[in-house]
Amino acid sequence: MTTSTVGPAAASAPAARQASGPAQAWRRLRHQPVTLAAVITIAIIIVIAAAAPLIAPYDAGETDFTSVLAGPSADHLLGTDDFGHDILSQLIYAARTALIVGVGSVLVAMLIGVPMGLILGYKGGWYDRLGSRVMDIADAMPGIMIGFVVIAILGRGTLILIFAIGLIFSMNFARMVRAITLTERKKLYVESAHVTGLRNRQIVFGQVLPNLVGPLAVQGAVFLGNAIKVEAALSFLGLGLPDDQPSWGGMLRTAAEHQVDHPWMALPPGIAIVITVLALNLLGDGINDALSGARTSRKQRKRALHQAPTLAEVEEAKRAVSSVVTTPVAVAPALAQALVTTDKHPDPVLAVRDIHIVADRPDGEVVPLVSSLDLTVGRGEVMGLLGESGSGKSMLAKSILGLLPAGVRVESGSVELAGEELVGRTERQWREIRGKKLGVVFQNPQANLSPVHTVGRQLIDPLRIHHGMSKAVARDQAADLLDMVGVKDAAKRLDDYPHQFSGGMAQRVAIAIALAGDPDVLILDEATSALDVTTQSQVLDLVLDLREKLGMAVINITHDLGVAAEACDRVAIMYHGQLLEVNDVFSLFDEPHHPYTKALLASHPTADHKVDRLPTIADFVTADGEWIAR
Amino acid sequence: MDREVIIPMTAHRPLLDVRDLEVAYETKGGLFRKSMTTVVKGVSFHIAPGETYGLVGESGSGKSTTGRAILRLADIAGGSIDFDGTDIAGMGSRTPLSYRRDVQAVYQDPGASLNPRHHVGRAVTDALKRHGIGDRASRRKKALESFEQVGLTAAHLDRFPSEMSGGQLQRVAIARALVLEPRLVICDEAVSALDLSTQSQIINLLMDLQKDSGVSYLFITHDLGVVRHISQRVGVLKLGELVEEGVTEELFDNPQHEYTQALLTASPSSTPEGRDERRELRQKRRVSVPSLRQAS
């Protein structure tokens, strides 16, 4: 059969194969010293508990009536209790109890809670309403009281204690699993499973459950700590384990009886509980961070801005670049340079000169994202920056705006805006540029605007800051701006919130805000990509009208050939971090020079005419992976 | 509708015949009241075996909901959907397994439509297993064949979705949809999220597979260029109503409904030639058709 292949690279594995989810999480986990310490602590406790008979100097039940309630000595390193039990041995055997009860009760809690949460979250409707009420009622009862009741009915014993504690925590698991299942069941992969015909049971346990493993591991670690605390509390109250079974809670109870004359007795079990529970909680946090890939502390985040990026950030930046790997055609720099036909504008307002943008990997490798790029944008000109994902067009825009993500930096080169150098500015110096001389509108209209402030406030603030207007003058000016971008009843709508605007209208508001500083250059980063075609054409027409009226330059970053054709004066083609071709829009579409530009134009299905078969990039590349110049 | 009914390309009855389809969603009206919002209002069209029918419209037009109704994922409030002579709107809550085999879907976001925790090959083998096809080894073999059919290799079977590019993931989604040898595939914005160079490859792939297997496509998209290229007939949806339907070439060359005309003038052209005239035309249209002035 005649399948269209992806070009020479289809068969070979991607150059940088991404590590799978769990492997990546484990790598991140290893980079967290606190978590590592927690893991080691827990491992030590497990070894002690498992090897208790070998390590403990005395047997658990062994009594030495010659030394009762003695302080630490060579025979009894931590002393003895009122029955002459060696406290160190008791502590070691109690670790065993704590772990068995803790792990057992978490397993019981999961066995009850996970299926319950899955069913409630997935089935919804009456199941969910009824089940949620049961969870509410269970939550309203103090956990320890549930423990009392179960033990009162069933009596004391290890298994009963495990069941009682498991019951206390089962509702927490159910609640969490239900919440995650509610979001998961709306995802497309669940819908796809439905379309395939999978049974509900298969979808819930085969498809949804694997996606709960991460959160369950986090909660499991945290609840393990909590279960050990509850076990200690119940044993302390004399309700937990039988008295002859060593437990940290039971040791505390003995210590409490002799608190006045032998205060040291409370210390060993107390410290053991604190260390164990703390280690488990830290492990839970660590797993959470590793799975989400997020750094939580502010200090760390601040540091990340100046230091090496996290692994995840570099992976992401690299993936963005290497996603074009399906068609990895080397761009001969000489060829690229030769094809830049009109990169100079006689009256430039923005000039990018020989810019190199790189990402630093933690292992010291420097990954180039944009290489030796020159571009000028003239006053009042609409420059289209056209490229596919991974072409580096957004990185270029972010470097112009000083908004490069952590770990990505301008290695060399210069960006000059109306005679001012932008590269190397401090955050404070950037404030004189962004929002004032540079306006920007991003793809998602609602994300451009703050949801908790009225659009009036979001317009008035920059006017007051940048132009020092009084509140009343700024409000009039804001209304004028809204009116100019085509919002009806502008003065009234100043008091509306962003969610009261439709997508197209919200994007108009975002443009008005970007224009508030009276910028020299307005940057549109895929600003119309999320809009419907009729709305898109309105917004593009608006930008052209505003350009004619205000004379600012516009950089329109897009992946859409049609947007470039309809609304740009000149177009720059980017591919793999390089500028391949810059030309007047009419010349570029009539006579593309670079094979890649030709390929792009040819592979674009359009509403104006129809071809039998769409050419693909592969048609413009030789078997050896070189561009066919024709 | 201004256009006369199109005679199917073959003498057979249509594979899918949608008549007066209505889909309504329950929206919270108040504490006790439930109010229904109708998102698909009396839509009728049919698809012949081996045909591609394009359904175009903007957001809120009900095009995806129509697809979901055909997939039995949205409750049908009225009308009928005949698939190969059986009314699937009248079926109970259970969907026959044979229908789940005959009608498949390919979605816009291939990453989201594959389970992030499973190797992508499992998407295909799970589908085969559910439909009782082959044993473990032969299912794997069949999965590999389907991967090769869409331009992937054995090495791709054991990857996680996070390890593959968007184009590769969409190939997996297509392999999953086609391995069951369906008769109809609902392609819901199936190429909209892809880069241009990947998009053309996937479009060619879909067309090649259709040529080989005779599958029908319902191609749901907002992209007029893609629809023109891939479909034989097109329906234009606006706010839940089918405003115009016809053979692709005729509809694009001579649109009758003013909404279709507005869509076509608003749709970015593949060339800058004549753009000033188009801009003027849009300006005039916005003044003359108030409902389009602020379409959103």
Side-chain angles (χ1 to χ4, degrees):
Chain A
M1 63 166 289
T2 54
T3 52
S4 46
T5 53
V6 207
S12 64
R17 200 184 150 171
Q18 300 292 315
S20 61
Q24 220 168 13
W26 170 239
R27 249 196 343 226
R28 271 189 237 120
L29 203 60
R30 281 187 325 194
H31 284 92
Q32 300 166 349
V34 176
T35 313
L36 212 57
V39 171
I40 293 169
T41 311
I42 293 163
I44 291 172
I45 295 169
I46 291 172
V47 169
I48 288 175
L54 302 175
I55 298 171
Y58 298 90
D59 206 48
E62 205 174 317
T63 51
D64 179 0
F65 287 111
T66 57
S67 84
V68 171
L69 289 172
S73 65
D75 278 349
H76 303 284
L77 285 176
L78 295 177
T80 56
D81 67 7
D82 50 358
F83 280 100
H85 293 128
D86 177 56
I87 289 184
L88 178 62
S89 304
Q90 291 274 304
L91 201 64
I92 290 169
Y93 276 100
R96 195 178 241 202
T97 316
L99 284 183
I100 290 172
V101 173
V103 171
S105 53
V106 167
L107 284 180
V108 168
M110 282 188 181
L111 276 176
I112 300 171
V114 172
M116 182 172 167
L118 279 170
I119 291 166
L120 297 191
Y122 187 76
K123 280 264 186 187
W126 273 109
Y127 287 88
D128 191 31
R129 258 167 272 172
L130 199 70
S132 297
R133 288 301 87 80
V134 171
M135 287 195 285
D136 289 341
I137 292 165
D139 263 10
M141 291 192 278
I144 206 120
M145 202 187 81
I146 300 178
F148 287 172
V149 172
V150 173
I151 291 163
I153 296 170
L154 298 177
R156 285 167 72 179
T158 313
L159 283 177
I160 291 162
L161 187 66
I162 288 174
F163 177 69
I165 300 174
L167 203 62
I168 295 172
F169 290 118
S170 61
M171 290 303 129
N172 297 59
F173 277 105
R175 204 175 271 280
M176 180 193 77
V177 169
R178 173 183 169 272
I180 299 173
T181 309
L182 274 177
T183 56
E184 291 292 318
R185 78 158 183 197
K186 293 192 193 97
K187 290 197 177 160
L188 265 184
Y189 74 87
V190 172
E191 193 160 319
S192 298
H194 266 298
V195 170
T196 307
L198 294 193
R199 291 194 181 92
N200 279 341
R201 181 165 44 83
Q202 290 166 320
I203 294 174
V204 170
F205 293 100
Q207 303 284 329
V208 177
L209 187 57
N211 289 285
L212 289 167
V213 169
L216 280 178
V218 175
Q219 288 298 328
V222 172
F223 281 140
L224 190 54
N226 284 348
I228 287 172
K229 273 197 301 187
V230 173
E231 181 264 317
L234 287 171
S235 298
F236 178 78
L237 294 170
L239 293 167
L241 294 164
D243 289 334
D244 55 348
Q245 201 165 345
S247 76
W248 290 336
M251 290 171 75
L252 276 179
R253 183 153 62 112
T254 315
E257 284 163 15
H258 304 280
Q259 194 183 349
V260 183
D261 39 341
H262 304 288
W264 86 88
M265 281 176 67
L267 286 179
I271 291 170
I273 292 171
V274 169
I275 289 176
T276 312
V277 174
L278 186 64
L280 287 167
N281 284 349
L282 289 174
L283 175 66
D285 284 352
I287 298 173
N288 194 24
D289 286 354
L291 286 175
S292 62
R295 295 187 166 219
T296 41
S297 92
R298 251 187 86 184
K299 204 169 140 199
Q300 273 176 321
R301 221 178 298 145
K302 210 170 166 189
R303 209 171 54 199
L305 272 176
H306 304 289
Q307 288 187 357
T310 65
L311 207 65
E313 285 159 354
V314 175
E315 296 290 342
E316 196 173 308
K318 190 153 181 192
R319 181 158 17 175
V321 171
S322 66
S323 67
V324 217
V325 95
T326 41
T327 54
V329 185
V331 182
L335 181 66
Q337 289 299 323
L339 287 166
V340 175
T341 46
T342 59
D343 71 324
K344 297 277 185 291
H345 192 277
D347 181 19
V349 62
L350 183 86
V352 178
R353 289 196 199 94
D354 197 25
I355 200 166
H356 288 254
I357 304 170
V358 296
D360 294 305
R361 284 172 60 108
D363 58 15
E365 198 191 328
V366 179
V367 184
L369 301 179
V370 172
S371 306
S372 54
L373 185 141
D374 287 276
L375 189 70
T376 60
V377 181
R379 262 175 223 289
E381 177 184 46
V382 183
M383 167 63 88
L385 211 51
L386 186 66
E388 301 183 285
S389 53
S391 64
K393 60 186 192 301
S394 282
M395 283 299 162
L396 178 62
K398 286 185 174 129
S399 71
I400 294 170
L401 285 161
L403 292 174
L404 285 174
V408 179
R409 62 189 164 85
V410 175
E411 194 184 38
S412 66
S414 109
V415 178
E416 214 177 281
L417 175 71
E420 279 188 88
E421 179 59 49
L422 298 187
V423 172
R425 279 180 177 257
T426 62
E427 197 49 36
R428 201 196 179 114
Q429 291 169 321
W430 266 114
R431 271 178 229 146
E432 295 157 24
I433 301 292
R434 278 198 303 255
K436 199 170 179 185
K437 295 183 173 169
L438 282 176
V440 64
V441 180
F442 294 106
Q443 176 168 3
N444 182 346
Q446 295 296 348
N448 277 317
L449 306 166
S450 160
V452 293
H453 295 128
T454 63
V455 301
R457 164 120 191 244
Q458 295 179 61
L459 268 166
I460 291 165
D461 281 354
L463 286 169
R464 297 188 67 191
I465 293 165
H466 296 308
H467 302 296
M469 292 178 184
S470 73
K471 209 166 179 175
V473 175
R475 194 178 162 88
D476 284 349
Q477 183 74 30
D480 287 350
L481 273 170
L482 266 196
D483 188 54
M484 189 168 69
V485 296
V487 174
K488 298 262 136 51
D489 293 327
K492 240 187 254 167
R493 298 221 66 184
L494 282 177
D495 298 321
D496 284 348
Y497 286 88
H499 69 87
Q500 290 166 291
F501 290 79
S502 67
M505 281 296 140
Q507 208 60 315
R508 286 168 192 262
V509 173
I511 291 172
I513 292 171
L515 293 176
D518 194 12
D520 293 324
V521 180
L522 173 66
I523 296 179
L524 307 176
D525 191 352
E526 299 278 9
T528 60
S529 303
L531 304 175
D532 278 328
V533 281
T534 49
T535 320
Q536 166 170 284
S537 70
Q538 290 164 18
V539 173
L540 288 176
D541 287 349
L542 168 72
V543 169
L544 293 177
D545 291 345
L546 291 170
R547 186 268 304 258
E548 277 153 27
K549 204 182 284 178
L550 305 172
M552 80 281 184
V554 179
I555 300 179
N556 193 347
I557 299 159
T558 181
H559 69 281
D560 190 331
L561 277 175
V563 169
E566 293 286 353
C568 299
D569 300 329
R570 281 197 303 153
V571 176
I573 306 281
M574 284 190 72
Y575 178 72
H576 250 302
Q578 285 185 306
L579 189 63
L580 297 188
E581 182 164 2
V582 189
N583 212 340
D584 162 73
V585 65
F586 289 94
S587 314
L588 187 118
F589 277 81
D590 280 351
E591 263 184 87
H593 282 84
H594 197 279
Y596 175 73
T597 316
K598 290 178 190 170
L600 266 192
L601 292 176
S603 59
H604 181 213
T606 67
D608 348 327
H609 66 278
K610 185 182 157 84
V611 290
D612 281 343
R613 189 182 174 80
L614 289 172
T616 66
I617 293 256
D619 300 328
F620 292 81
V621 177
T622 65
D624 308 328
E626 307 237 321
W627 290 111
I628 301 168
R630 54 176 174 189
Chain B
M1 219 164 295
D2 307 330
R3 219 169 274 278
E4 60 188 292
V5 174
I6 312 296
I7 300 139
M9 296 161 71
T10 55
H12 303 296
R13 65 174 172 208
L15 177 70
L16 183 82
D17 194 358
V18 177
R19 282 206 198 128
D20 304 320
L21 177 68
E22 285 201 13
V23 184
Y25 281 126
E26 205 175 278
T27 43
K28 276 166 200 152
L31 195 54
F32 299 105
R33 246 181 315 158
K34 281 181 202 161
S35 69
M36 302 294 276
T37 311
T38 312
V39 284
V40 177
K41 303 163 187 161
V43 167
S44 303
F45 62 92
H46 64 267
I47 305 177
E51 186 189 30
T52 301
Y53 186 88
L55 206 51
V56 295
E58 300 189 292
S59 50
S61 64
K63 57 187 191 300
S64 289
T65 309
T66 305
R68 286 173 52 83
I70 297 168
L71 288 165
R72 288 180 58 82
L73 297 170
D75 288 335
I76 297 159
S80 68
I81 300 175
D82 274 14
F83 181 80
D84 198 23
T86 315
D87 180 13
I88 65 140
M91 286 173 182
S93 59
R94 274 185 194 282
T95 308
L97 201 53
S98 64
Y99 188 72
R100 285 286 177 233
R101 189 171 171 174
D102 283 338
V103 183
Q104 293 295 322
V106 178
Y107 293 100
Q108 170 167 15
D109 184 349
S113 72
L114 293 164
N115 196 324
R117 297 270 167 201
H118 287 169
H119 287 145
V120 294
R122 205 173 139 184
V124 178
T125 51
D126 273 359
L128 290 168
K129 190 174 169 193
R130 173 66 181 112
H131 292 271
I133 299 165
D135 57 19
R136 211 184 156 84
S138 70
R139 281 198 292 267
R140 174 128 182 134
K141 197 164 150 263
K142 217 164 154 74
L144 176 58
E145 283 167 15
S146 74
F147 265 44
E148 283 168 348
Q149 206 180 11
V150 298
L152 297 171
T153 66
H156 293 109
L157 281 173
D158 296 321
R159 297 233 177 113
F160 285 102
S162 60
E163 299 169 342
M164 297 173 82
S165 71
Q168 289 173 330
L169 289 171
Q170 200 58 298
R171 286 169 193 267
V172 175
I174 292 169
R176 167 176 61 188
L178 289 172
V179 75
L180 295 171
E181 294 164 11
R183 296 157 74 189
L184 174 67
V185 177
I186 314 283
C187 301
D188 190 352
E189 301 279 10
V191 299
S192 305
L194 304 174
D195 272 323
L196 209 48
S197 55
T198 320
Q199 190 186 61
S200 55
Q201 292 165 10
I202 298 293
I203 291 175
N204 288 345
L205 172 65
L206 285 169
M207 292 174 88
D208 290 341
L209 292 169
Q210 184 175 49
K211 225 176 285 168
D212 291 349
S213 66
V215 66
S216 301
Y217 293 134
L218 173 62
F219 213 89
I220 298 166
T221 182
H222 70 280
D223 189 327
L224 296 172
V226 171
V227 151
R228 170 156 208 182
H229 183 77
I230 203 164
S231 50
Q232 280 94 50
R233 289 186 305 125
V234 179
V236 180
L237 274 177
K238 185 198 175 193
L239 298 173
E241 287 175 61
L242 197 70
V243 296
E244 185 167 3
E245 186 194 46
V247 173
T248 309
E249 289 297 296
E250 287 175 25
L251 186 132
F252 275 79
D253 290 340
N254 187 17
Q256 299 296 314
H257 195 277
E258 62 180 20
Y259 180 71
T260 316
Q261 292 165 0
L263 266 188
L264 282 168
T265 35
S267 186
S269 168
S270 62
T271 157
E273 312 298 340
R275 62 181 190 174
D276 293 337
E277 292 76 29
R278 287 196 291 274
R279 196 173 150 198
E280 253 169 58
L281 191 66
R282 284 196 295 265
Q283 206 70 44
K284 248 185 263 164
R285 207 183 289 281
R286 263 170 228 151
V287 176
S288 69
V289 188
S291 66
L292 295 169
R293 197 136 91 222
Q294 291 181 2
S296 39

